[in-house]
Amino acid sequence: MSLAPPTSEATRRRHDREIVALAVPAFGALVAEPLFVMADSAIVGHLGTAQLAGLGIASALLTTAVSVFVFLAYATTAAVARRVGAGDIQAAVRQGMDGIWLALLLGAAVIAVVLPLAPGIVDVFGASATAAPYATTYLRISSLGIPAMLVVLAATGVLRGLQNTRTPLYVAVAGFIANAGLNAALVYGAGLGIAGSAWGTVLAQCGMAAVYLTVVVRGARRHGASLRPDAAGIRASAQAGVPLLVRTLSLRAILMIATAVAARLGDADIAAHQIVLSLWSLLAFALDAIAIAGQAVIGRYLGAEDPVGAREACRRMVQWGIATGVVLGLLVIASRPLFLPLFTGDSAVKNTALPALLIVALSQPISGVVFVLDGVLMGAGDGPYLAGAMVLTLAVFTPVALVVPAHGGGLTALWGAMTLMMTVRMLTLWLRARSGRWIVTGATR
């Protein structure tokens, strides 16, 4: 089966250069994001166990918020890339500004909810009496940086749509360095404790947002695009984001169900699950970088009314996804004996995790296809289909995962269910890609 007719060697090389040019910087930016939390944890961890526990709860909530609103980056990338392909840079930047205004509105709404309800939110997540005050402090202060965080997502989408993934990489690296330095200075130098860590992160996020806004505003002025909020444009950005929000929430539900099931299997299983899930998430960054390239490239081809180029690019990216998945799988198999001791010395946890890691390794080529086609369909603006496909995947995964403990299955069986989930995703995405119904050309879908 193929998604496009065979292409020439010159065409393949052109696609390869484009994929590498976009995906490599995107991977660096993606990896830099979780380093924020790691830096905060390393600094706050020396304050005490209660402070670290509080940070863990608040960070989990903030990370969830970012994942929920990631549609700001995805939808903006696709919309901007289409207009770039159509040769209308002014409209592309104007579309990007609509996404940024939507980010600011959503950020303000989140602050309005989190500030007064922070203690209750922390309590729902089961924080202990000693950790809850620290979690509440960190969450309240960090919520002030959420508008900046969402602006970063939307502006990243603008630059990706403009085929620029290098600037997000530079900003992410600079933001990580600033975050680490501010945290250390405010936590220890100023003696602010966990509040200093939160303020350091907020300041770093605001600095990143300021850089992005400077870049986008300069581009808007250069191309004569208006900076004023446009109600119709903001509404269109929100409508494009709703299906992607449904997709993201369904995926988050799958991961939460998997964790809940692992918790019911026992302490060794949940500990091993967290290790396996952390590796699975790390591998996802590499594959997601190709997906980001797919969003930008496919949107541009469709905007330029070049369906043949879109199909050829899709086919080549799928090949990249499969090849990358094979390489990652082999790396996981080879590094299993070295990887596990980094996280635990408990032999029971190691023995439980080993077969699950093997399943993860073997399923990486499937994941490669899933991530790439996910990015292709996002770039095509095919959000409604992606939402429906993910809801279907959730419906298939949930009963299979829930019967694992009921039938005496362990972590290996649970990760077998996770592989089934990825296989269902692959089939739904593959069928859509082959159908060609995602190919809608023009500056707008």
Side-chain angles (χ1 to χ4, degrees):
M1 293 188 296
S2 65
L3 296 170
T7 54
S8 67
E9 182 64 26
T11 300
R12 284 196 295 269
R13 288 179 179 175
R14 174 165 53 82
H15 287 315
D16 289 346
R17 288 193 297 270
E18 196 165 43
I19 292 168
V20 171
L22 291 170
V24 172
F27 174 69
L30 287 169
V31 171
E33 292 174 9
L35 292 178
F36 271 73
V37 177
M38 291 179 62
D40 289 1
S41 299
I43 293 170
V44 172
H46 292 286
L47 295 175
T49 302
Q51 288 91 332
L52 184 58
L55 172 66
I57 293 168
S59 293
L61 290 166
L62 293 167
T63 301
T64 299
V66 172
S67 67
V68 166
F69 292 115
V70 74
F71 70 83
L72 289 166
Y74 293 161
T76 305
T77 297
V80 171
R82 274 185 175 270
R83 286 161 175 78
V84 169
D88 192 347
I89 303 299
Q90 182 187 73
V93 178
R94 173 66 260 180
Q95 180 71 42
M97 286 303 306
D98 291 335
I100 290 173
W101 279 112
L102 176 61
L104 288 169
L105 291 173
L106 290 173
V110 172
I111 289 179
V113 171
V114 172
L115 277 180
L117 299 180
I121 296 172
V122 168
D123 186 59
V124 167
F125 276 74
S128 67
T130 54
Y134 296 112
T136 301
T137 296
Y138 191 93
L139 183 60
R140 274 182 166 156
I141 296 173
S142 293
S143 69
L144 300 176
I146 287 179
M149 192 185 306
L150 300 189
V151 166
V152 167
L153 286 176
T156 298
V158 175
L159 295 181
R160 288 173 180 171
L162 293 171
Q163 318 296 297
N164 176 2
T165 57
R166 289 184 177 273
T167 299
L169 171 61
Y170 300 149
V171 176
V173 171
F176 166 71
I177 295 171
N179 178 68
L182 287 167
N183 269 255
L186 295 175
V187 171
Y188 298 116
L192 296 180
I194 195 169
S197 177
W199 281 117
T201 300
V202 168
L203 292 172
Q205 289 166 345
C206 289
M208 293 171 66
V211 172
Y212 274 120
L213 287 174
T214 299
V215 173
V216 174
V217 167
R218 284 179 178 173
R221 288 174 175 169
R222 184 166 58 251
H223 297 287
S226 174
L227 298 175
R228 295 179 179 179
D230 176 67
I234 294 172
R235 186 165 54 252
S237 295
Q239 289 172 345
V242 169
L244 297 180
L245 176 61
V246 173
R247 167 202 168 274
T248 301
L249 290 175
S250 299
L251 179 57
R252 295 296 300 181
I254 287 171
L255 298 178
M256 289 175 65
I257 290 169
T259 300
V261 170
R264 294 174 62 187
L265 298 175
D267 290 346
D269 291 89
I270 185 61
H273 176 73
Q274 289 303 114
I275 295 172
V276 176
L277 185 61
S278 66
L279 177 62
W280 188 79
S281 301
L282 178 63
L283 298 174
F285 284 128
L287 298 173
D288 203 27
I290 304 175
I292 288 170
Q295 293 171 31
V297 171
I298 295 299
R300 193 190 73 229
Y301 274 116
L302 294 178
E305 300 192 13
D306 184 359
V308 174
R311 280 188 175 275
E312 290 176 344
C314 176
R315 179 184 180 186
R316 190 56 176 165
M317 287 178 187
V318 168
Q319 293 171 348
W320 267 79
I322 294 172
T324 304
V326 170
V327 171
L328 292 176
L330 293 173
L331 288 174
V332 171
I333 293 174
S335 64
R336 281 188 307 160
L338 302 174
F339 176 75
L340 287 173
L342 295 175
F343 289 86
T344 181
D346 189 324
S347 58
V349 175
K350 290 180 182 178
N351 292 335
T352 303
L354 275 172
L357 283 175
L358 181 60
I359 291 178
V360 169
L362 295 176
S363 66
Q364 284 307 293
I366 295 174
S367 297
V369 175
V370 168
F371 276 86
V372 168
L373 290 182
D374 207 37
V376 165
L377 296 185
M378 282 185 191
D382 205 13
Y385 181 84
L386 289 172
M390 189 61 79
V391 170
L392 172 64
T393 303
L394 173 61
V396 172
F397 171 78
T398 301
V400 175
L402 293 179
V403 300
V404 168
H407 287 73
L411 189 67
T412 303
L414 176 60
W415 275 91
M418 289 286 285
T419 301
L420 171 65
M421 177 269 293
M422 293 300 288
T423 302
V424 172
R425 288 186 69 189
M426 182 182 71
L427 291 175
T428 57
L429 297 173
W430 185 267
L431 289 172
R432 185 64 168 183
R434 280 187 58 80
S435 74
R437 294 177 183 174
W438 56 278
I439 300 179
V440 179
T441 59
T444 58
R445 183 177 172 88

